[in-house]
Amino acid sequence: MSATKFISCTVLLITACLLLSVTQVRAETVKGRAVYHLIKAEESEVGDLPGHVLAVAEYKGLIFFENSEVATCSSVQTFEETKGSGTFQVYSLWTFEDGS
């Protein structure tokens, strides 16, 4: 078998395995409260416009759910603003007591 055919067959097999192994994910609404504290924050002026700022902040905390579960939370927030208006994103990792 030529190298090209071998690579094509391998890619086809991997693609088929990935498509067949997709699991269903169900959205679930949960209620609770979160307690965070700021670990570190850094801010920098971009310099192209007055008041144009980029920043990154790191938070850690706990989330207490109504069903009595507790999760630890690590979050990183990025934001960009010009004169107080802009966008932000938050990336969070929740870890439950069972390790999930």
Side-chain angles (χ1 to χ4, degrees):
M1 181 183 291
S2 72
T4 305
K5 284 186 181 180
F6 178 75
I7 292 171
S8 297
C9 289
T10 304
V11 168
L12 182 62
L13 180 62
I14 291 171
T15 303
C17 289
L18 289 174
L19 289 175
L20 293 175
S21 67
V22 173
T23 58
Q24 293 291 332
V25 176
R26 179 172 57 97
E28 184 178 344
T29 301
V30 293
K31 292 183 181 181
R33 62 185 177 86
V35 179
Y36 290 98
H37 63 276
L38 178 64
I39 302 296
K40 180 170 73 169
E42 295 183 31
E43 183 177 296
S44 181
E45 286 278 337
V46 175
D48 58 346
L49 298 170
H52 188 187
V53 176
L54 297 175
V56 176
E58 179 183 351
Y59 297 88
K60 296 218 183 271
L62 296 171
I63 304 172
F64 301 93
F65 295 97
E66 281 186 338
N67 66 359
S68 299
E69 285 189 286
V70 177
T72 60
C73 184
S74 296
S75 297
V76 174
Q77 176 182 353
T78 63
F79 71 89
E80 177 178 9
E81 65 178 34
T82 302
K83 296 182 181 178
S85 180
T87 61
F88 71 94
Q89 292 181 314
V90 178
Y91 302 90
S92 294
L93 175 64
W94 296 2
T95 304
F96 291 86
E97 292 172 327
D98 65 0
S100 64

